[in-house]
Amino acid sequence: MAFDEVMAVLKRHSGFEMFSMEEETVIFLPGLTIYPEQRKIYRDRQEIHLTAKENDLLCLLAYNKGRVLTYGQLYQKVWGEEPLGRESNAVSCHIQNLREKLLQASPGTPFHIKCVREIGYCLERQGRRLF
């Protein structure tokens, strides 16, 4: 039986629901593959285990690679709250942990999370902002 015939039979049954399969977003960085919807990061097929905040920060920086995001922007997107002036401490702490885990899992990658003093962070490639 052909696929179209199977679908025609299924559509005649009232309880049948069609689900569409959408393409999953995948972010590729040198040496890393990020699946935001699954909340998974891989280095050479080995999963890197991150906390929810670390994962969200990495995804946000990767989506905006080369662009400086302020402490306030990062805090608002990841924590879902309006920044109240002390967000740089929370963001910095999580970025430091994220850097350590990425370095441990993937030493020598050609990108890094750069701190732009008193402004925020950006994902850079070997001293350049653009990938």
Side-chain angles (χ1 to χ4, degrees), residues 78-131:
V78 173
W79 276 262
E81 301 172 1
E82 288 295 318
L84 300 173
R86 303 283 292 157
E87 63 276 356
S88 63
N89 290 340
V91 171
S92 295
C93 179
H94 283 81
I95 289 286
Q96 182 60 36
N97 292 337
L98 174 59
R99 282 176 171 158
E100 288 175 12
K101 289 179 181 180
L102 290 176
L103 181 63
Q104 207 172 41
S106 188
T109 57
F111 68 88
H112 67 280
I113 300 171
K114 179 183 178 186
C115 176
V116 180
R117 190 173 178 179
E118 297 182 18
I119 297 174
Y121 293 94
C122 73
L123 197 60
E124 264 192 0
R125 182 178 182 158
Q126 295 180 357
R128 298 182 317 237
R129 285 207 180 123
L130 299 177
F131 276 76

